[in-house]
Amino acid sequence: MKPRLVELLRCPGCGAALTCFSFEERPDAAGLAQGGEAYGTEIESGLLACQGCDLAFPIIEEVPRVIRNAFEEYADWFKEQSPRITAIDGLGAVSQKIGSVDSSRFDKRSNESFSLQWEKYQYGDKTWFKSDLDQRRDEFLDAVQLSADELDGKLVLDAGCGNGRLTASVTRYGAEVIGMDLSRSVVRAHKMRDEHAGENAPRLHFVQGNVMEPPFAPETFDHEHTSGVLHHTPSTERSLDSFLTLVKPGGRVYVQLYRTREPWIGIPNAIIRACTSRLPLNLLFNVLYFLAPLHRWLVLIVAKLRGETSPIADTSRREQAISLFDNYSPRYQYRYTPAQMEKLFTERGLKNVRDVTFENEARHMVAFVGDK
Ligand SMILES: C[S@@+](CC[C@H](N)C(=O)[O-])C[C@H]1O[C@@H](n2cnc3c(N)ncnc32)[C@H](O)[C@@H]1O
């Protein structure tokens, strides 16, 4: 991570600023040339200690892990680094602290399920049956209803960035972009940033963080984007509230959620999920991988009956299994009609609220933009 990120990060527990103790770092000449000192170093490993409470967050494989339960999730790292940590003045107690985890804000299964899902993903795959390299990237401006000029020089958050491929592509509009995700997907996304963002890579950052306890100060971002994320948290409404605090007044907000499906598909889906979202993750993935050809066949038959073509025809069995896993594994999967989503936006005081759902995803998703 770049020192620049330290300026922006806050403790998800108490909101205070963080002090960075760098254990290993290397110079980044391209970052220095582009943005000066704040971008000129890559901190490879270290610790972010809260200035307000006793929580501390590791920087591992160059990615800050700013989640309240970091001590638990990265117990091995804390153990290994214990001599270094205890040697830092005033930090002796840190290695003893465990951030208390509130299950109404942090869902462990989500973290583990999406971490596994993005491990199975391979860069070059289609994400949600769309190519990241052109289709999703090109759709981004239409989705957020901003021009490239309006993004130039702005700070943008992509909350729940998943594989980070779309996040990276936004840097080509001149924006500085932060991709945040609860899962460990951010590690691979960070490793791929040079390949995905090219010369803009120094202004692309990834953070492990929870949108329900975001590791940023209020009104940090010029614009915000979140696709397919908030409905996977314990409360879409509370996630939306904390997501909205992060954007500056006047900033554009894009939110995409799952759409309420027709009962003939919605009810069986809910019944099947009641079972599958409790199964061990690896077992579930293997079962879905086994069943993927059967599912593909059913989807193609339904598409034929509707006189449509389905993008599933051009995807691999693994991509199909990932998409099935995305549906059947997460514990939370709330769904909304356009009217409900509009209400979510208007009752929070957003202005210029409009439905921006693409035709090619309107069966499954609903997307709105608004201005804070
Ligand atoms: C369906 S994926 C969407 C990924 C990406 N936005 C996209 O459009 O391709 C949902 C993502 O939300 C992330 N997520 C779930 N709960 C989260 C939370 N509380 N905070 C941040 N990210 C979360 C998951 O880890 C996962 O990567």
Side-chain angles (χ1 to χ4, degrees):
M1 70 171 248
K2 299 280 187 285
R4 156 73 169 152
L5 212 44
V6 184
E7 296 165 24
L8 301 175
L9 288 171
R10 294 290 179 274
C11 174
C14 73
L18 303 173
T19 305
C20 180
F21 298 95
S22 168
F23 297 163
E24 273 137 30
E25 58 184 45
R26 61 185 162 77
D28 179 342
L32 185 67
Q34 263 183 42
E37 296 272 304
Y39 298 82
T41 306
E42 190 69 42
I43 302 168
E44 295 167 313
S45 89
L47 193 74
L48 293 160
C50 176
Q51 295 171 9
C53 66
D54 290 321
L55 293 181
F57 311 96
I59 304 162
I60 308 173
E61 292 180 274
E62 303 184 358
V63 177
R65 321 296 172 104
V66 198
I67 45 176
R68 198 196 274 255
N69 67 321
F71 187 82
E72 184 190 24
E73 182 161 338
Y74 297 105
D76 290 346
W77 185 89
F78 274 96
K79 212 167 168 183
E80 199 180 290
Q81 298 295 331
S82 174
R84 255 176 173 160
I85 295 170
T86 43
I88 301 171
D89 262 359
L91 273 194
V94 155
S95 55
Q96 311 302 318
K97 298 285 174 191
I98 299 188
S100 58
V101 174
D102 172 355
S103 60
S104 70
R105 288 165 181 271
F106 175 82
D107 174 39
K108 201 164 182 212
R109 181 167 175 111
S110 256
N111 172 329
E112 288 169 358
S113 175
F114 284 108
S115 292
L116 178 71
Q117 178 173 326
W118 293 122
E119 227 177 270
K120 302 283 180 191
Y121 168 87
Q122 285 175 12
Y123 285 97
D125 284 357
K126 289 185 174 152
T127 309
W128 326 127
F129 304 123
K130 287 185 181 182
S131 154
D132 290 313
L133 284 176
D134 41 50
Q135 192 177 357
R136 291 194 87 206
R137 184 192 62 195
D138 295 344
E139 284 178 352
F140 182 83
L141 294 179
D142 284 337
V144 296
Q145 304 260 298
L146 288 169
S147 65
D149 283 349
E150 286 169 307
L151 285 167
D152 193 12
K154 297 292 192 291
L155 184 62
V156 177
L157 175 69
D158 184 15
C161 61
N163 60 46
R165 190 66 194 85
L166 181 65
T167 325
S169 69
V170 179
T171 60
R172 77 178 179 146
Y173 302 120
E176 179 168 20
V177 189
I178 298 186
M180 174 180 79
D181 203 280
L182 184 66
S183 76
R184 297 188 187 201
S185 66
V186 282
V187 179
R188 278 178 82 200
H190 174 80
K191 286 197 169 95
M192 297 296 286
R193 73 198 184 293
D194 286 338
E195 197 171 313
H196 292 157
E199 58 180 24
N200 301 315
R203 289 161 62 79
L204 170 65
H205 315 273
F206 288 100
V207 177
Q208 188 179 14
N210 180 357
V211 73
M212 297 198 83
E213 296 184 314
F216 299 101
E219 301 185 4
T220 294
F221 297 95
D222 296 300
H223 304 299
E224 290 186 314
H225 171 270
T226 183
S227 58
V229 180
L230 305 187
H231 49 235
H232 284 309
T233 66
S235 160
T236 309
E237 285 78 3
R238 283 189 289 118
S239 297
L240 181 59
D241 288 336
S242 58
F243 179 67
L244 292 179
T245 62
L246 302 176
V247 71
K248 293 176 183 165
R252 174 65 43 84
V253 173
Y254 169 93
V255 179
Q256 185 210 51
L257 298 175
Y258 277 145
R259 182 182 288 255
T260 306
R261 302 295 311 270
E262 311 87 315
W264 73 268
I265 192 155
I267 294 170
N269 188 53
I271 294 170
I272 298 170
R273 275 185 36 78
C275 163
T276 55
S277 62
R278 288 170 169 80
L279 286 179
L281 298 171
N282 277 304
L283 171 69
L284 177 61
F285 188 86
N286 289 332
V287 168
L288 294 172
Y289 187 84
F290 178 73
L291 292 175
L294 175 65
H295 174 259
R296 178 180 184 272
W297 181 75
L298 286 172
V299 170
L300 290 176
I301 289 188
V302 173
K304 195 160 187 192
L305 292 174
R306 283 176 165 150
E308 297 171 355
T309 51
S310 169
I312 203 171
D314 302 326
T315 54
S316 70
R317 184 172 182 168
R318 187 178 40 74
E319 285 166 274
Q320 292 155 32
I322 290 172
S323 165
L324 286 169
F325 187 78
D326 181 76
N327 179 48
Y328 290 114
S329 177
R331 175 154 170 221
Y332 298 105
Q333 190 197 78
Y334 299 113
R335 291 179 174 271
Y336 297 84
T337 62
Q340 287 168 330
M341 195 163 170
E342 184 168 4
K343 189 160 172 258
L344 285 178
F345 268 45
T346 50
E347 66 191 10
R348 284 167 176 76
L350 290 168
K351 301 183 186 73
N352 306 319
V353 171
R354 53 208 186 273
D355 187 337
V356 292
T357 314
F358 292 129
E359 208 177 306
N360 63 25
E361 56 192 32
R363 191 164 282 144
H364 303 276
M365 313 302 291
V366 53
F368 270 71
V369 291
D371 298 328
K372 184 164 165 184

